[in-house]
Amino acid sequence: MNSTRNLWTLLAALLVVSFGVLLWTGTEIYQKAPPVPEQVVSADGTRIFTKRDIETGRQVWQSMGGMQLGSIWGHGAYVAPDWSADWLHREAIAILDQWATREGGAAYAQLPEERQAALAGRLRTRIRQNAYDGANGTVTVDTERAAAIAKVAAHYESLFGNDPATAELREAYAMKNDTVPDAAHRRALTAFFWWTAWAAVTERPGSVITYTNNWPSEPLVGNRPPASTFIWSAFSVTFLLAGIGLLGWHYAVTHGRGEEPHRLPPFDPMRAIRPTPSMLATAKYFWVLLALFLVQIALGAITAHYQVEGQQAYGYPLSEVLPYSLSRTWHTQLAVLWIAVAWLGTGLYIAPAISGYEPPYQRLLVNVLWLALLVIVVGAFAGQWLAVMQRLGLDDNFWFGHQGWEYADTGRLWQWLLFVGLLLWLFLVGRALWPSLSTRHEGRSIVALLFLSTVAIGLFFGAALMWGEHTHLSIVEYWRWWLVHLWVEGFFEVFATAVIAFLFTRLGLLPVRTATVAVLFATIIFMAGGVLGTLHHLYFAGTPTAVLALGASFSALEVVPLAYIGFEAYHTYRLGGATEWMERYRWPVMFFIAVAFWNLVGAGLFGFLINPPLSLYYMQGLNLTPLHGHTALFGVYGMLGIGLVLFCLRGMKPDLVWNNTILKVSFLCFNIGLALMGLLTLLPLGTLQLLAAIDDGYWYARSAEFMQQPIVDLLVWLRMPGDIIFSIGALALALFVIGLWVFPRRLGERPREAAEPMRPGEPRPSR
């Protein structure tokens, strides 16, 4: 009991300190974010842009899909360029061409190398100077730079319209014609792109580092990795090794010591749980989950194919009705949605199973929540289609359309409704758990941790409501990663860990005390790096060096528990074969083992590959990022969601014979398909881009010139085998679930030993 109390104290102290530091960094970001000027003028007094232009331009960018079409400061989609890096390079070349031509020579690219170096040196000394006057909010540029800005702006106005001169480039970028049909909106869009590039090349006052910590890599303007990226990358590796060493020491000292003797039950204790009406009502959540999953896969195939044909799908002009930015929006959102639905359904199912209590009207409210989720999804997706097709208007886009932030694209109205829905989910789970929380018993700590993670899931979605339509880009990024990193990667993981611990203790495979200590310890080591590890997403988002230092240090600690994930996988495997009746849970357990594997590979190896500052300086927004994203999001959270769903389905249909063959096909196809996606396409393509970014600058690794090479086309086509195999796995899973209701095969008479009700909050005693 003392050890459990000490772990709770340590966890509470850790969370208080971690969130305190995280909030402090938020204030630092707010104070030191790159300024948005009131106006941009040339040396002769001509007004180029106003703050209103920049803010309107950001609204236009958001309405057309935002981060789902190209990226800003490295965050977003991978087919079109990073607009900040692309603008910066084009502006630099435009200035250099002016100088080269004025001196009586040819364009800059045709000059001798020695002369190029001299002009580039002159450019670096001028373009990096901070010409922002805080007294009147004005940025003043010389006439040469003003002419370069006008030239680049004209290019973008052509690109985002329907000009035949840029038609080939639109196709390469997978942009539909007339992405922004209104000429005034296109003009405003160029103001926003210019500001993001200005922040990337302008040095902070009193510093030689730009507002984005010298990101992106651009040799022409002197953007190179600052010394801080080298220092904190080295420290992050040191922290990783120290953390692994400490965890190894802890494992060696504690493993196998003091464990109480434990006798496994001869029958399946979970069969004693009689599903209540609300538990059975969660079946529809899992049906919807499968539908969302299948649609997400189809949209993923369409999104990947756009990289080959640009605007068409095998000759059909698909971009006219389903543009790339929209297919990618729905693909990324559905990935989070179906996984979240798996966990929401699991929470609603497992809460009455833990307490043995069915609250009044629980089934009705479970059904109401399900209907509300459907309305939110349909409404949000309809609003996004209207926005991207430019039929909604800028005034209504923020509330009803497309916010443009990757993984947080939903209009604000739908975000509020989803937040209310999550609070209802929290209420339903919490009141069903209450009898087990209010009663003293051995497993109370696991139940408490499950409940607290439910509270966090419900409340922390509120981070999506912390920014407004015109909140500074750096602050939006700060809160957006609270949502993506803490909500999805943090508290859902704690929730899943507690659920799995409950399942294994209820199955009688683990002593409750042992499981309690293990779950609390696992939560502590995950949260130790997980909370402040959020900052590794913000290295180059207009944030100060302190963010880089903290993010590098603590994101390395995120990998520490994953280094020992193999022990967890082996232990889970042993539990899976502990008794004959555990064969009933073979495939849920196998999916948990897959979670352990992809935690190590996808979240651990591929995550640490890109997380140190020096690595991410070059890799952010290249295909090495989705390598980590795909293998971690589906490999960990997707597999986990499927495993939990299978456990719930076993409880709903305890007497049915499962088709293990089709589950085996599904399991193998998921893992083989996911591995092939990464190894045949994302890893080699990302590596080629990385070499290009180091040698020629980040802009080139994202350019049409690079991405339209035959080798890139080949690597994209090589994704098909993995996609097809993966899709077979999803269809097999859907067929299996449908078969449980449409073609059920029943066991013989249910054993009487399994018919006794279970006491709330306590595992059934073995006989």
Side-chain angles (χ1 to χ4, degrees), residues 657-669:
V657 177
W658 278 18
N659 189 331
N660 288 326
T661 300
I662 198 169
L663 278 178
K664 181 178 181 180
V665 169
S666 178
F667 177 82
L668 292 176
C669 286

Side-chain angles (χ1 to χ4, degrees), residues 653-723:
K653 303 284 187 178
D655 296 326
L656 295 189
V657 177
W658 278 18
N659 189 331
N660 288 326
T661 300
I662 198 169
L663 278 178
K664 181 178 181 180
V665 169
S666 178
F667 177 82
L668 292 176
C669 286
F670 279 143
N671 286 279
I672 294 171
L674 185 59
L676 290 178
M677 284 183 214
L679 296 178
L680 296 184
T681 298
L682 298 177
L683 180 58
L685 179 53
T687 303
L688 289 176
Q689 286 184 294
L690 174 61
L691 294 173
I694 294 173
D695 289 340
D696 301 302
Y698 184 82
W699 73 272
Y700 178 66
R702 295 285 304 273
S703 68
E705 181 183 357
F706 180 87
M707 295 301 292
Q708 295 301 307
Q709 295 178 91
I711 182 63
V712 174
D713 279 348
L714 174 62
L715 290 173
V716 174
W717 278 109
L718 283 176
R719 183 167 165 169
M720 281 192 69
D723 285 354

Side-chain angles (χ1 to χ4, degrees), residues 505-518:
T505 54
R506 278 295 172 89
L507 287 169
L509 302 177
L510 288 176
V512 175
R513 183 179 179 279
T514 301
T516 300
V517 172

